[in-house]
Amino acid sequence: MQYGDYIGNVTRLAVELANTGTLDEQGELVTTFFAEHEITAPPGGDYGELPDLVRAALAQWVDGGAPVAVHRLLRDYPPQMHLSDHDGGWHIHFSRNGTPAERWVGQLVAAELALVVAGDPSVTLGRCAASGCANYFVDQSRNRTRRFCSNACASRTTVAAHRARAAKRS
């Protein structure tokens, strides 16, 4: 696995947590991450204040503000940096296997968002441009021009623009 892909996957976890307030225990990414790192999801998917803090961190970064919430994540969930070779090659981990889920996710997200804020070029964050949608997304496309969180939001926006143009012509 390329380390940029790992950072992208963890950032996707952060985006899911911010957008939904929890992590989909049945989702492939969460299932894989939790199993590999001996993490048990919290009862009822409750991550405490972490989703709000991650949402604030994403908003500050996407809006060009100071990364105050990332600093708070680093303070409240200080990463425990160490090397792991579970995928057949050495790479950096930011939380120990078996750590309680909220703490594990917090440490991981704190470290990865700090890397993104510090300019990791492999990950770009954005907020959906669709009217009425405030979701965040990770853009790892080649040209970093993604504007929507999903195809549904992109399609809804395109259809609305088409209808508005058609109404003007009528």
Side-chain angles (χ1 to χ4, degrees):
M1 170 184 287
Q2 296 292 321
Y3 201 65
D5 293 336
Y6 183 73
I7 292 172
N9 285 339
V10 173
T11 307
R12 271 188 266 297
L13 282 179
V15 164
E16 180 179 338
L17 189 61
N19 288 345
T20 67
T22 192
L23 295 174
D24 178 4
E25 294 178 40
Q26 306 307 311
E28 183 178 338
L29 187 59
V30 174
T31 301
T32 301
F33 264 127
F34 280 25
E36 285 178 352
H37 303 290
E38 303 162 16
I39 305 303
T40 302
D46 183 8
Y47 287 85
E49 70 169 345
L50 187 58
D52 292 334
L53 188 51
V54 171
R55 195 173 302 112
L58 294 178
Q60 288 167 354
W61 177 243
V62 169
D63 295 340
V68 174
V70 172
H71 285 288
R72 183 167 168 218
L73 278 166
L74 289 167
R75 183 194 72 212
D76 293 354
Y77 301 92
Q80 293 182 356
M81 199 175 209
H82 63 281
L83 291 171
S84 175
D85 68 345
H86 71 84
D87 283 335
W90 291 103
H91 57 277
I92 300 170
H93 276 204
F94 299 100
S95 190
R96 300 280 175 191
N97 286 1
T99 300
E102 179 184 347
R103 183 135 209 84
W104 184 84
V105 171
Q107 289 174 318
L108 201 60
V109 167
E112 301 303 342
L113 289 182
L115 289 170
V116 171
V117 168
D120 188 297
S122 63
V123 176
T124 301
L125 289 164
R127 184 181 292 124
C128 189
S131 178
C133 182
N135 283 343
Y136 296 95
F137 58 85
V138 177
D139 183 2
Q140 287 186 283
S141 65
R142 185 176 303 173
N143 59 7
R144 303 290 200 260
T145 58
R146 184 173 168 184
R147 295 180 46 228
F148 302 99
C149 68
S150 66
N151 288 337
C153 279
S155 179
R156 191 173 58 251
T157 301
T158 302
V159 168
H162 171 75
R163 289 180 178 156
R165 286 190 305 273
K168 280 185 180 181
R169 287 191 298 260
S170 308

